[in-house]
Amino acid sequence: MITLTLAALALILLVAFLVKELWRPSNYPPGPKWLPIVGNTPLVRKMAAENGGLLSNVCDKLSETYQSSVIGLKLGRERVVFGLGYEDVKDILCNEAFQGRPDNFFIRLRTLGTRLGITCTDGAFWNEQRSFVTRHLRLVGYGRQAMHAQIQTELNELLEVLEARIEQPIWPGSILAISVINVLWTIVTGTRVPREDDRLQRLLQLLQERSKAFDMSGGTLNQLPWLRFIAPEWSGYNLVRRFNKQLTEFFTPTIEQHHQNFTEDKAVDDLIYAYIKEMRDHKDASVTNFTDVQLTMIILDIFIAGGQTTSTTLDLAFMMMIMRPDVQEKVHEEIDNQLESNGTPHYDDRHTLPYVEAFLLEVHRFFSIIPVNGPRRALTDCTLGGYRVPKNTTVFMGVRNVHMDPEHWGDPEVFRPERFLNEERQIVNTERVLSFGQGKRRCLGETLARSCLFTFFVGVMKRFCLVKPDVAAEESDMEPSLTLKPGITLSAKPYNVVFQPRKRTEMNICDE
């Protein structure tokens, strides 16, 4: 009798569990049925494998199948909604209801098991920390002449590196990231690091390994976190733990050195000194959010957000120069006509180089290196595209879908910078280029990224002509390709280009 009762109770609990697992909220966005525990994870993985390994391609297929720009899934045990149309994405970016961040396994694993930093936090804590960082970045020169001067310094060193490799095949992506990371390092720590310093190489390698291991949703590890006990290496769990440990060890000596050398007057020298001053001002408070761990997480956020996206975009811009010689010719012509031959480019020059600006906008639009952006968390029960989004649902944005919408762009598959220029050669049509987001969570590093992109690109194009090398048969895999490598950030496959010195002539040709 007891056995029968226990069996009946177990059956009831099993049925209740299955009902809860399989229950789909009323008016939830359309999408495939999900399984208990794993949800739609197996289906998404299968579809991704069949569609270039990209989550954005899976979203495209589901949107086509269910005839909806809003798709509802369950990944693992987490409800997930994708907004793919422009109005959906704009609503997610700007609606207060979607300004939260998920509190899931991957988010906490990313920040040492906590919810710290800026990128992955929300609420009062996020407001306090972001406001502080924004304010003090300005004090140490962010967005001002000091920042632009530092970018020009890195440009000059980059040009020296390229000069030493003239006429030699080189993949730009192998040297660009160090220039960008050194700008970030200077803003955060107050000093630049010589290019040959192995610390930069180690930091770059860590960032690259991380970006390749997951997609924006955190991948299978986030959806099925119990896999860390069964397959810690395959799931990426060990990789993230190594990444966290090594990055913490990477930044700790610099933070400790700043503590030892701190004086009140140094609080305007760099971000770390400014944060240490704030920590000391709060040392008598019973509860404070200003700690060494939080400082480490803020630095981590800055380098994760800006360490690769800018250099990857710049790498793609150079790739298009050899894939589209006609565009390169127009870039050279405008630079030659508008800039002095012996000056160093500055971000302010963008006002006189509209075609270059249009070209960089088209690089952002055409490649969408973060095709699915987010994640956000619904702070309340709300709606998206007419569908119900329950509180605490994770929400993603299909930025690539907006950038490749044929109804708006007409020919989105064509790389055409002129789409951003009117008849008076003024920049137009930019409201749907969402690489830096919109609203209160708009990218904190946008000014830095745009300045680096413009200054480095113009500086290199002013000095060099980019041509394809004479490719031997065994090197054919180094040809440029529009098919990008998947990961949290999409990136160009390695390709070779030859940097040739230019002559500023009416014919606008390279040295032979």
Side-chain angles (χ1 to χ4, degrees):
M1 187 67 180
I2 294 177
T3 302
L4 185 61
T5 301
L6 290 175
L9 180 59
L11 180 61
I12 292 171
L13 291 175
L14 176 62
V15 170
F17 172 78
L18 291 175
V19 169
K20 181 180 179 182
E21 284 288 299
L22 297 173
W23 175 70
R24 194 179 192 93
S26 62
N27 197 34
Y28 194 66
K33 293 181 180 179
W34 52 66
L35 301 171
I37 302 177
V38 297
N40 297 120
T41 296
L43 174 65
V44 170
R45 282 185 56 81
K46 179 175 180 293
M47 292 182 67
E50 296 170 348
N51 292 277
L54 299 178
L55 183 60
S56 58
N57 291 345
V58 174
C59 292
D60 291 342
K61 293 292 184 181
L62 292 174
S63 178
E64 181 180 343
T65 299
Y66 294 96
Q67 295 294 296
S68 174
S69 65
V70 182
I71 299 297
L73 302 174
K74 194 174 185 183
L75 299 179
R77 306 186 70 181
E78 185 176 11
R79 283 193 301 267
V80 176
V81 167
F82 292 86
L84 306 176
Y86 172 65
E87 294 301 329
D88 308 318
V89 172
K90 187 176 180 180
D91 193 10
I92 298 168
L93 287 169
C94 301
N95 189 336
E96 189 66 32
F98 296 113
Q99 299 307 306
R101 290 293 196 197
D103 185 6
N104 57 34
F105 176 80
F106 187 73
I107 292 292
R108 287 184 171 269
L109 179 62
R110 177 187 181 276
T111 49
L112 310 181
T114 63
R115 289 191 76 201
L116 293 176
I118 299 176
T119 303
C120 295
T121 56
D122 53 31
F125 180 91
W126 175 79
N127 280 317
E128 174 192 55
Q129 297 292 312
R130 181 184 168 96
S131 295
F132 171 84
V133 172
T134 302
R135 184 170 67 253
H136 285 276
L137 280 176
R138 291 197 189 102
L139 287 177
V140 300
Y142 181 81
R144 300 182 180 181
Q145 182 55 35
M147 183 191 79
H148 298 303
Q150 175 59 30
I151 293 172
Q152 289 177 315
T153 297
E154 296 303 328
L155 166 63
N156 290 330
E157 183 177 75
L158 175 62
L159 292 174
E160 290 178 4
V161 173
L162 294 176
E163 289 280 1
R165 300 283 297 273
I166 281 179
E167 304 292 352
Q168 299 177 23
I170 184 174
W171 174 36
S174 65
I175 58 174
L176 294 171
I178 290 180
S179 299
V180 176
I181 286 177
N182 223 338
V183 175
L184 293 171
W185 187 267
T186 304
I187 290 173
V188 171
T189 70
T191 58
R192 71 181 302 276
V193 181
R195 178 174 284 265
E196 60 273 13
D197 193 309
D198 65 350
R199 286 180 297 170
L200 287 180
Q201 293 289 352
R202 286 192 292 118
L203 178 57
L204 177 59
Q205 183 178 359
L206 287 172
L207 293 171
Q208 288 174 338
E209 287 178 359
R210 178 187 178 277
S211 70
K212 295 175 185 177
F214 305 96
D215 57 34
M216 187 56 70
S217 69
T220 305
L221 179 60
N222 184 58
Q223 297 150 24
L224 307 173
W226 45 268
L227 283 175
R228 69 189 187 276
F229 301 117
I230 302 173
E233 197 66 39
W234 175 84
S235 66
Y237 177 69
N238 284 350
L239 186 149
V240 178
R241 285 179 60 86
R242 286 196 300 269
F243 175 80
N244 288 341
K245 181 176 183 294
Q246 291 171 356
L247 268 189
T248 300
E249 292 173 350
F250 186 90
F251 292 121
T252 296
T254 302
I255 294 174
E256 290 178 348
Q257 186 178 39
H258 276 67
H259 273 293
Q260 294 170 5
N261 298 334
F262 177 82
T263 57
E264 289 286 331
D265 60 310
K266 290 184 176 181
V268 295
D269 288 356
D270 59 57
L271 182 63
I272 295 179
Y273 277 134
Y275 203 88
I276 290 174
K277 181 180 186 304
E278 198 73 14
M279 289 169 60
R280 296 191 176 205
D281 290 345
H282 286 77
K283 67 180 180 180
D284 295 328
S286 57
V287 178
T288 177
N289 294 321
F290 291 88
T291 65
D292 278 332
V293 176
Q294 169 63 1
L295 172 57
T296 303
M297 291 301 102
I298 288 174
I299 298 173
L300 185 63
D301 278 344
I302 290 172
F303 279 90
I304 287 177
Q308 283 192 284
T309 52
T310 303
S311 57
T312 295
T313 305
L314 191 57
D315 189 22
L316 291 168
F318 289 138
M319 186 179 78
M320 291 311 295
M321 290 290 92
I322 59 175
M323 297 188 79
R324 290 289 302 274
D326 58 318
V327 174
Q328 181 174 183
E329 183 177 349
K330 293 176 182 178
V331 167
H332 280 149
E333 181 180 4
E334 185 175 69
I335 290 174
D336 289 351
N337 290 338
Q338 299 298 325
L339 298 185
E340 295 292 332
S341 60
N342 57 355
T344 302
H346 189 282
Y347 188 45
D348 289 344
D349 293 330
R350 70 191 186 279
H351 302 299
T352 61
L353 300 175
Y355 186 82
V356 171
E357 274 285 275
F359 167 76
L360 294 175
L361 282 167
E362 183 70 339
V363 171
H364 281 299
R365 183 202 69 82
F366 187 80
F367 289 105
S368 301
I369 62 170
I370 305 180
V372 178
N373 208 346
R376 299 293 181 89
R377 175 174 61 90
L379 297 174
T380 61
D381 288 344
C382 52
T383 60
L384 182 65
Y387 296 102
R388 179 178 174 232
V389 179
K391 181 180 179 180
N392 291 326
T393 297
T394 297
V395 183
F396 290 94
M397 296 161 275
V399 174
R400 180 181 178 276
N401 297 82
V402 175
H403 289 174
M404 302 299 285
D405 180 6
E407 292 187 9
H408 177 76
W409 302 105
D411 55 352
E413 300 294 337
V414 177
F415 188 90
R416 186 168 59 85
E418 289 80 4
R419 71 177 76 249
F420 294 108
L421 293 171
N422 62 15
E423 294 181 356
E424 290 74 37
R425 295 184 63 79
Q426 297 171 326
I427 297 294
V428 295
N429 199 26
T430 63
E431 67 279 355
R432 294 197 183 209
V433 180
L434 302 174
S435 305
F436 297 99
Q438 292 180 356
K440 64 191 295 185
R441 280 193 175 270
R442 192 179 184 104
C443 177
L444 186 65
E446 179 177 358
T447 302
L448 175 67
R450 289 191 184 278
S451 183
C452 280
L453 277 172
F454 180 87
T455 307
F456 288 160
F457 178 75
V458 173
V460 170
M461 297 309 298
K462 184 179 178 183
R463 184 80 63 90
F464 298 102
C465 180
L466 279 61
V467 298
K468 288 185 179 181
D470 295 329
V471 181
E474 64 271 14
E475 297 175 345
S476 59
D477 60 339
M478 295 296 284
E479 282 284 305
S481 172
L482 296 180
T483 302
L484 305 186
K485 295 189 299 182
I488 291 181
T489 303
L490 306 186
S491 58
K493 296 178 180 178
Y495 64 93
N496 277 335
V497 60
V498 171
F499 289 85
Q500 294 181 344
R502 295 187 59 233
K503 288 180 179 179
R504 292 168 62 95
T505 70
E506 290 182 1
M507 294 182 65
N508 192 30
I509 61 174
C510 302
D511 283 343
E512 295 295 336

